[in-house]
């Protein structure tokens, strides 16, 4: 109880509410019981959630067991039914991902999980066996962010499973034995039931030494993350990823910034070979172009900047979908622009109101498109080049046309003077603003 109290005072701010992830097993039953006792002293709101994965028939009875336990403690309880996507990532990872997605829906401020010291040792060993870096070897932190609004708290990391079992016996607590824990086809179960007992017999202080290593690694990781954050602030000093600044970093720090960008944009986890290759290309390409293909999208380099795009980044560009805008072929330009989610922004020199009321359309730029200038005219593709629009975006750039299909404006950039007036409007597709490196 004292270790839990210390962790509570260190991690839980005053007035925060807590939801316990309640599987019904020994660990979570003890955690909920402990926190229920602690709330008499600390005065906080406590609730519990059971996540039903539907991965085994026996689990169908667990929500009822957990609900009855919560009822005896007068603790609010909810059940979330999830479907774990185990394709490619396996059962354990798929179930964990589904759980965390459910926890993000919690109305509490903090989600408390019952991982204990034995779990921490297993996590360290699994990370070592899989060749993980410092983040993996640092195992599970006591407190971390969960999404944008929640925190994930693990208050039992300094308590052994043996201590939890003794507590449950002392307080006559019933709990569920998950039959899947004996399935040694899962590496964690083999490690728990067979591998680690052999090591502990040979090295009696194994767990103590591993926990000391984890603590040291977590402290070193914290320092590393501070340095990485400082690097990030320097790289993004102008509001974008500045490759010139990035190239001044050491190779290891360059790699961390690229990995941070990939993770922040949910583009998947690159292989070390892929990371090293793109880092080399980025160092050699100067202000030219480069492309990094990732699991969830691509990162492009152009003019010493990096741009992240997901595989579906063009989905909301309705002018690229033939059926979308052709349905209203006689609609006013105003209507078409609104349907395509364009903003009309007042500009010193923009489209006239009467032009917006006429029939018009939006489409992707073609090689033949010309735009009238104040003096003369120019190919739209040339205009895009002069405005330093990245090459990977140019084929999809939207142009505004009149009823005859003539280009009367280039979105975000230019309006044909013959259709313009003072204090008119320029059509903007906001998502593309970041691609205009040199506005006209």
């Amino acid at each position: 109880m004292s270790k839990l109290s210390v962790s509570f005072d260190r991690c839980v701010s005053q007035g925060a509410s807590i939801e316990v992830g309640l599987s019904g097993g020994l660990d979570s039953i003890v955690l909920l019981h402990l926190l229920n006792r602690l709330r008499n002293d600390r005065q906080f709101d406590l609730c519990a959630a059971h996540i039903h994965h539907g991965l085994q028939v026996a689990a169908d009875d667990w929500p009822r067991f957990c609900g009855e336990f919560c009822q005896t403690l007068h603790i609010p309880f909810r059940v979330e039914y999830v479907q774990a996507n185990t394709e490619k990532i396996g059962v354990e990872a798929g179930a964990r991902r589904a759980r965390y997605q459910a926890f993000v829906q919690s109305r509490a401020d903090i989600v408390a999980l019952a991982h204990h010291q034995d779990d921490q040792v297993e996590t360290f060993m699994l990370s070592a066996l899989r060749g993980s870096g410092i983040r993996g070897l640092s195992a599970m932190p006591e407190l971390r962010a969960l999404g944008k609004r929640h925190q994930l708290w693990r208050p039992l990391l300094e308590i052994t499973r043996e201590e939890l079992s003794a507590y449950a016996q002392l307080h006559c607590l019933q709990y569920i034995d998950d039959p899947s824990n004996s399935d040694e086809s899962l590496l964690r179960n083999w490690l728990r039931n067979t591998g680690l007992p052999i090591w502990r017999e040979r090295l009696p202080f194994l767990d103590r030494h591993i926990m000391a290593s984890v603590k040291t690694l977590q402290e070193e990781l914290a320092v590393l993350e501070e340095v990485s954050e400082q690097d990030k602030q320097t790289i993004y000093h102008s509001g974008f990823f500045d490759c010139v600044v990035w190239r001044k970093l050491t190779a290891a720090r360059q790699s961390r910034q690229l990995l941070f960008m990939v993770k922040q944009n949910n583009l998947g986890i690159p292989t070390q070979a892929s990371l090293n290759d793109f880092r080399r290309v980025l160092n050699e390409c100067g202000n030219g172009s480069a492309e990094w293909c990732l699991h969830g999208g691509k990162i492009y380099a152009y003019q010493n900047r990096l741009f992240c795009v997901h595989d579906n980044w063009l989905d909301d560009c309705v002018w690229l979908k033939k059926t979308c805008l052709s349905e209203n072929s006689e609609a006013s330009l105003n209507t078409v622009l609104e349907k395509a989610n364009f903003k009309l922004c007042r500009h010193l020199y923009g489209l006239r109101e009467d032009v917006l009321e006429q029939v018009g359309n939006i489409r992707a730029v073609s090689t033949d498109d010309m735009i009238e200038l104040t003096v003369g005219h120019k190919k739209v593709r040339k205009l895009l080049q002069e405005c330093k629009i990245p090459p990977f975006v140019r084929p999809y750039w939207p142009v505004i046309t009149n009823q005859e299909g003539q280009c009367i404006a280039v979105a975000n950039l230019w309006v044909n003077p013959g259709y313009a007036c003072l204090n008119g409007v320029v059509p903007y597709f906001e998502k593309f603003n970041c691609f205009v490196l040199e506005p006209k």
Side-chain angles (χ1 to χ4, degrees), residues 36 82 128 130 136 203 205 215 347 365 394 402:
N36 186 56
V82 300
R130 290 166 177 161
L203 301 167
F205 301 110
K215 183 179 180 182
H347 195 272
V365 62
R394 292 176 198 169
N402 58 18

Side-chain angles (χ1 to χ4, degrees), residues 33-147:
H33 193 269
L34 282 167
L35 286 173
N36 186 56
R37 291 174 59 195
L38 186 64
R39 70 172 173 168
N40 294 327
D41 296 328
R42 299 295 198 279
Q43 300 298 313
F44 58 90
D45 291 333
L46 180 65
C47 59
H50 177 82
I51 312 302
H52 189 298
H53 304 91
L55 295 175
Q56 50 183 320
V57 176
D60 291 340
D61 295 328
W62 298 350
R64 178 181 54 80
F65 173 83
C66 293
E68 290 174 355
F69 181 66
C70 288
Q71 193 171 10
T72 62
L73 300 179
H74 306 290
I75 292 173
F77 174 70
R78 71 181 176 105
V79 180
E80 286 286 339
Y81 293 88
V82 300
Q83 189 167 3
N85 182 4
T86 60
E87 188 179 353
K88 295 183 181 180
I89 60 175
V91 174
E92 275 191 292
R96 181 169 56 250
R97 181 177 295 179
R99 277 198 304 276
Y100 285 2
Q101 287 172 347
F103 287 141
V104 168
Q105 307 304 317
S106 173
R107 294 184 178 180
D109 302 305
I110 295 173
V111 174
L113 300 184
H115 296 112
H116 48 74
Q117 182 175 300
D118 297 54
D119 294 323
Q120 189 76 312
V121 170
E122 291 166 15
T123 300
F124 173 88
M125 292 296 292
L126 285 170
S127 296
L129 292 171
R130 290 166 177 161
S132 298
I134 186 171
R135 185 175 297 279
L137 293 172
S138 296
M140 296 177 285
E142 182 181 22
L143 185 71
R144 72 166 176 85
L146 178 65

Side-chain angles (χ1 to χ4, degrees), residues 104-307:
V104 168
Q105 307 304 317
S106 173
R107 294 184 178 180
D109 302 305
I110 295 173
V111 174
L113 300 184
H115 296 112
H116 48 74
Q117 182 175 300
D118 297 54
D119 294 323
Q120 189 76 312
V121 170
E122 291 166 15
T123 300
F124 173 88
M125 292 296 292
L126 285 170
S127 296
L129 292 171
R130 290 166 177 161
S132 298
I134 186 171
R135 185 175 297 279
L137 293 172
S138 296
M140 296 177 285
E142 182 181 22
L143 185 71
R144 72 166 176 85
L146 178 65
K148 295 181 179 179
R149 196 178 66 83
H150 300 85
Q151 287 185 306
L152 192 66
W153 178 39
R154 298 182 176 97
L156 304 182
L157 290 178
E158 295 183 3
I159 300 174
T160 66
R161 179 177 175 81
E162 186 178 352
E163 290 174 303
L164 295 177
S165 182
Y167 180 94
Q169 188 173 359
L170 177 65
H171 293 275
C172 302
L173 299 179
Q174 301 295 313
Y175 53 87
I176 296 167
D177 279 320
D178 185 346
S180 69
N181 287 336
S182 61
D183 178 9
E184 293 200 1
S185 67
L186 300 174
L187 183 57
R188 182 181 285 273
N189 287 345
W190 176 85
L191 195 62
R192 177 186 302 141
N193 302 327
T194 302
L196 280 169
I198 296 173
W199 278 91
R200 287 175 179 132
E201 187 176 343
R202 179 68 178 83
L203 301 167
F205 301 110
L206 175 71
D207 290 45
R208 184 190 303 174
H209 292 161
I210 288 177
M211 291 299 289
S213 293
V214 167
K215 183 179 180 182
T216 300
L217 285 164
Q218 287 182 345
E219 290 173 353
E220 291 176 353
L221 179 61
V223 173
L224 182 59
E225 288 181 336
E226 283 183 22
V227 174
S228 295
E229 181 60 28
Q230 291 170 3
D231 287 346
K232 178 191 166 190
Q233 295 299 326
T234 305
I235 290 170
Y236 286 88
H237 69 106
S238 297
F240 57 85
F241 190 108
D242 189 332
C243 296
V244 174
V245 176
W246 173 84
R247 291 188 185 104
K248 296 177 182 177
L249 301 177
T250 62
R253 288 161 73 176
Q254 287 180 349
S255 293
R256 284 195 64 84
Q257 288 305 314
L258 292 176
L259 283 172
F260 178 83
M261 190 179 207
V262 170
K263 181 179 178 181
Q264 187 180 42
N265 289 278
N266 297 313
L267 295 176
I269 302 174
T271 63
Q272 190 62 47
S274 171
L275 174 64
N276 290 342
D277 187 56
F278 185 69
R279 182 174 57 79
R280 175 188 60 79
V281 170
L282 197 58
N283 274 301
E284 295 173 355
C285 71
N287 65 353
S289 299
E291 178 181 327
W292 189 15
C293 295
L294 297 154
H295 178 70
K298 293 180 179 180
I299 292 180
Y300 292 94
Y302 179 66
Q303 293 290 317
N304 283 315
R305 299 191 190 193
L306 291 189
F307 302 90

Side-chain angles (χ1 to χ4, degrees), residues 350-362:
L351 290 175
R352 304 192 308 267
E353 292 293 336
D354 65 291
V355 173
L356 296 173
E357 297 303 321
Q358 296 171 14
V359 175
N361 211 338
I362 312 169

